[in-house]
Amino acid sequence: MTPTITAFESSPDRGRGLARDMRVRWALEEVGQPYEVRFVSFREMKEPPHLALHPFGQIPTYEEGDLALFETGAIILHIAQRHTGLLPQDANARARATAWIFAALNTVEPPIVEREQTRYAEGDKPWHEARRPLLDGRVRRRLDQLSSRLGDADWLDGEFSAGDLLMVTVLRRLEGSGIVEEYPNLSAYVARGQARPAYKRAFDAQLAVFTAASSR
Ligand code: GTB
């Protein structure tokens, strides 16, 4: 059964692959599972048919037969459990790779998102500049720790896993800030993820949506 995911009809990231459908596309490409994409507008995301799939009116969603899922982490975990290629076979290694999925989403991404959203929400407020070092510091603290753990390894725990897939996409959210570049091993780690053929296929597919929309 070919799964269907949802993505922005018109992504605010202008094809940079930062919206979360990119994570699901990449996972599906890694495991060789073809998929379809249904594009939704911001208005449609808040209407009953989409809210029935996603209680918070967001993308991505994932439909496969009578299964409907929301939350990128749950979708990636589902794909990784159903296919080979994103989780190790050994039970303990599988549990550790799962821990990295949660670490990416629950520990590393929140300060990155807070830094980003604060810029949008309070960028024009007088206190914003004074808060910047605090927000940047929280991000750097996590990246210091992540960089120490990664060391000179290629991936976080042995072979490439769903945990790496999510961590690479989380770190990409710092693009343009120069912060990841302060950590040469993390920069190389992100580049290694982006060099994977499955990443490139996923990136090109989401970019094609933006290119087609902007040529209309
Ligand atoms: N916890 C959920 C998950 O992990 O699936 C969060 C899903 C989520 O944040 N979805 C966003 C969304 O639907 C799109 S990805 N937003 C619309 C809304 O809430 O109304 C977040 C995102 C959006 C845009 C950029 N960008 O432009 O760079 C980057 C990331």
Side-chain angles (χ1 to χ4, degrees):
M1 172 106 23
T2 304
T4 299
I5 67 168
T6 50
F8 283 130
E9 182 182 75
S10 174
S11 181
D13 73 358
R14 304 176 60 81
R16 291 170 63 208
L18 296 173
R20 285 181 170 91
D21 61 291
M22 173 65 199
R23 303 174 181 192
V24 179
R25 290 173 183 273
W26 184 9
L28 289 164
E29 291 288 354
E30 285 287 347
V31 301
Q33 171 64 58
Y35 61 97
E36 287 170 6
V37 185
R38 190 170 62 252
F39 297 99
V40 286
S41 65
F42 279 93
R43 183 179 49 76
E44 286 166 332
M45 271 189 260
K46 309 301 176 199
E47 290 177 345
H50 189 75
L51 287 171
L53 292 172
H54 197 308
F56 308 110
Q58 296 181 314
I59 60 101
T61 59
Y62 177 98
E63 293 157 81
E64 183 189 16
D66 56 9
L67 173 69
L69 281 178
F70 62 97
E71 280 299 329
T72 312
I75 296 169
I76 303 287
L77 192 55
H78 171 75
I79 295 167
Q81 285 171 337
R82 286 284 172 95
H83 301 268
T84 52
L86 284 173
L87 284 175
Q89 291 301 315
D90 173 76
N92 284 353
R94 210 173 168 89
R96 289 196 305 273
T98 307
W100 281 113
I101 292 179
F102 284 90
L105 299 178
N106 286 358
T107 304
V108 179
E109 188 163 43
I112 293 175
V113 170
E114 193 192 0
R115 177 186 176 278
E116 184 183 299
Q117 290 186 340
T118 305
R119 208 175 59 242
Y120 295 132
E122 320 177 336
D124 58 344
K125 301 287 187 291
W127 64 81
H128 178 66
E129 277 310 309
R131 278 197 79 208
R132 285 277 303 263
L134 175 92
L135 298 169
D136 288 356
R138 284 185 188 151
V139 170
R140 285 197 178 92
R141 180 171 149 71
R142 286 293 175 243
L143 267 51
D144 283 347
Q145 294 165 323
L146 185 66
S147 171
S148 296
R149 173 53 78 100
L150 180 66
D152 59 6
D154 280 354
W155 306 114
L156 289 165
D157 192 323
E159 294 298 303
F160 174 83
S161 78
D164 293 297
L165 183 152
L166 284 165
M167 194 65 83
V168 166
T169 54
V170 163
L171 294 177
R172 276 205 61 221
R173 289 193 75 157
L174 287 165
E175 262 179 26
S177 70
I179 297 180
V180 175
E181 289 73 12
E182 294 169 17
Y183 303 86
N185 68 336
L186 294 183
S187 262
Y189 172 67
V190 172
R192 219 163 9 254
Q194 292 178 297
R196 292 179 72 85
Y199 176 96
K200 290 183 181 171
R201 287 194 296 275
F203 185 89
D204 289 349
Q206 63 77 40
L207 179 60
V209 179
F210 172 73
T211 309
S214 46
S215 65
R216 269 189 227 120

